[in-house]
Amino acid sequence: MKPSQLRRARAALDSFAVETPSWGFADTGTRFGKFFQDAAAIDLGDKLADAGHVHALTGCCPTVAVHVLWDFQPGEDPKRVARLARKAGVKIGAINPNLFQDQCYKWGSFGNNDATVRARALSHCLDSIAIGKAVNSEYLSLWFADGTNYPGQGSIRERKGWFAECLRECHRKLAPWQTMLVEYKPFEPAFYATDIADWGMALLLARKAGPRAKVLVDTGHHYNAQNIEQIVAWLLDEDMLGGFHFNDRRYADDDLTLGSIDPYQVFRIFHEIHSFAADRGRMPKIAYMIDQCHNEKPKIEATIQTVVMAQELFAKAALVDHEALRRAQARNHVVDAELLLKKAFFPDVAPALASWRKANKLPADPLAEHRRTGYAKAAAVDRKRRRKELGLVQGGSFA
Ligand code: RM4
Ligand code: MN
Ligand code: MN
């Protein structure tokens, strides 16, 4: 790498952090079942410890997203959770309310035709905002399983109205330093009409909610032919891109590890962000988060693999020569323009990562270092014993 490229890649790495999800360390499964791992986290303490371990190895994951229902015991003191996180060397990141698991949500949450259920969902969101305030979390991350399965089942417009109303109420309770992220997903669990099915719906609802509501792009929540980087560019241009849920997919919401199927797509997404930053003279504020299911891979290894992949692709995208690209675009030099992207994508950025890690006193190879520490083996022994002592049968909810 040329010294100027090294500098650019290093600066990009300095500006990049990615949030790990608490549920990425727990046993998760498919709709058809779960396969358990002895080293999987049992409780929030384990999840935070695992996240802290990943951060210590990568230096790039200072916060952990939590799911209120899965991670917080009823009546849990949020300050205790914040202390637990601090002890593990991380902070609590996005707060994810759970609006899909309780029986009352059979017919939806904010889109439910029963006003008492909508009120209950809203009050859970307001509790989540209060938790966020108590632990200094900037983000409330909203995903809704709401939708209908059959034509005629519900009034599409009425449900839209209920969503707009409830989201506005949520927004009213945000602290000035908090942001509300609205996630979209085309289908599942609703298979006819998901209430927030695409980025346009999320954008409109976020706009109606208020200025601190933004759109969250989960990379897995798109159809195969959809151009995700174009959506990202539009959201950036509208100042409406709030954050990402990173994962990869072959079909739909497969939650595979980032870049495992199509690293070039992730590169192209990052390129749009770097290109926006180059035009505006500043990096936009974006919450980069992982939302993955590690059903077959060891969870910590999969998380490290994801983080390193994200760093590599972010650094590569920083190497695109924006001025040359502009010139090529102005002259309609299609081949040259395309090659400028490829020229940044293919070279190995390992030297930049190595020098960044060295400067930050981090292990040269986080995955190898993780294996060397024996952390996962020790966790497996400890957690297997604790499960037995607690009489825990692995299972229960999704994470
Ligand atoms: C959804 C969506 C949400 C995640 C749930 C469990 O598909 O991606 O972000 O919290 O799954
Ligand atoms: Mn998601
Ligand atoms: Mn998903």
Side-chain angles (χ1 to χ4, degrees), residues 19-20 22 25 43-56 61-66 71-72 76-95 131 134-137 375:
E19 183 162 302
T20 54
S22 67
F25 300 109
D43 54 23
L44 184 58
D46 293 344
K47 293 172 185 174
L48 293 171
D50 292 357
H53 175 66
V54 170
H55 181 48
C61 309
T63 57
V64 187
V66 289
D71 293 332
F72 285 65
E76 175 79 76
D77 172 13
K79 297 271 187 216
R80 191 193 75 91
V81 173
R83 275 197 303 275
L84 208 61
R86 213 172 312 131
K87 235 181 82 198
V90 283
K91 283 191 194 147
I92 300 295
I95 311 288
I131 291 174
V135 301
N136 274 321
S137 162
Y375 181 98

Side-chain angles (χ1 to χ4, degrees), residues 10-11 13-14 58-59 351-364:
R10 284 270 316 256
L13 292 169
D14 280 340
T58 60
L353 268 143
S355 101
W356 181 82
R357 287 191 188 122
K358 200 164 169 207
N360 287 287
K361 300 192 174 50
L362 294 162

Side-chain angles (χ1 to χ4, degrees), residues 299-333:
K299 292 154 203 304
I300 294 174
E301 292 199 3
T303 310
I304 294 170
Q305 192 187 20
T306 305
V307 174
V308 171
M309 170 69 30
Q311 284 185 303
E312 280 178 9
L313 293 168
F314 195 76
K316 281 173 187 247
L319 300 182
V320 173
D321 184 338
H322 296 121
E323 279 163 33
L325 186 61
R326 280 259 183 247
R327 282 197 299 275
Q329 289 172 347
R331 291 174 193 143
N332 293 313
H333 288 174

Side-chain angles (χ1 to χ4, degrees), residues 143 183-185 188 218 220-221 245 247 253-255 291:
W143 172 70
E183 182 172 354
Y184 58 91
K185 180 175 179 177
E188 203 214 15
D218 182 314
H221 294 185
H245 271 177
N247 50 55
D253 190 25
D254 309 326
D255 290 345
D291 183 7

